[in-house]
Amino acid sequence: MEAGMSEGTVREKAVRESSGTAAGREASGPKQTPLETDFGKTEENLAAYARRLLEIPAFDLRSYSPLTLAFLGDAVYELVIRTMVVTRANTSPNQLNRQSSALVKAAAQAQMMHAIAGQLSEEEQAIYKRGRNAHSATKAKNATVADYRTATGFEALVGYLYLKGDLRRVVELVRAGLDGRTKK
């Protein structure tokens, strides 16, 4: 407890400093969300943050199989899509699921990939092709083989970019892909 302050006064000061009150902002600067605090100041990305928290040793991205990258990319892509859907409207989970499911199916991912193909760097094209050409033990459900392979390549690219720490590029490509799908 600070000298000359009661326990209640110390608690009020702590609440004021942690909340967005004027007195708190003056003392601690502009209010930031936890992500801004953790990532904005340190320039640490989400993948690096997770690796640090989980105590995962450094690794070589090139050592991962394209299907492993696609496995992770599927989850990252779904999280990006679900975040976009949820932030557009606070609606029922059933409606949110319908909206996100329409965007995460293989056919939609294939359309997105075709829309962004011209925007990929050589490195990104190589990762996409490795994923597209990988031989998967699973079969396409409710999708053509071509769409399934294209979607696998797209997911491998997303997984690679995520592990590389370039979530900004993932979001950029997803937005461009969504825009490209709606223009056709």
Side-chain angles (χ1 to χ4, degrees), residues 12-70:
E12 287 172 17
K13 181 180 177 192
V15 168
R16 212 175 37 248
E17 288 176 357
S18 67
S19 70
T21 64
R25 278 193 300 275
E26 289 168 12
S28 62
K31 185 178 178 187
Q32 294 180 320
T33 66
L35 285 178
E36 289 171 331
T37 302
D38 290 345
F39 302 127
K41 291 181 181 175
T42 64
E43 294 299 316
E44 184 174 41
N45 61 64
L46 184 58
Y49 186 68
R51 282 195 306 271
R52 187 168 51 84
L53 284 177
L54 298 171
E55 298 176 359
I56 298 170
F59 55 87
D60 181 8
L61 274 176
R62 295 168 297 187
S63 67
Y64 286 99
S65 80
L67 294 177
T68 300
L69 293 173

Side-chain angles (χ1 to χ4, degrees), residues 74-88 96-97 99-105 109 112 154 170-171 174-175 178 181:
D74 175 61
V76 172
Y77 174 69
E78 179 136 6
L79 181 60
V80 169
I81 291 298
R82 284 181 178 217
T83 302
M84 291 173 130
V85 168
V86 165
T87 56
R88 258 193 264 150
L96 294 170
N97 187 54
Q99 291 173 11
S100 63
S101 293
L103 297 172
V104 298
K105 62 185 182 181
Q109 290 181 8
M112 288 180 58
F154 175 72
V170 170
V171 172
V174 169
R175 284 187 177 146
L178 290 173
R181 281 185 68 237

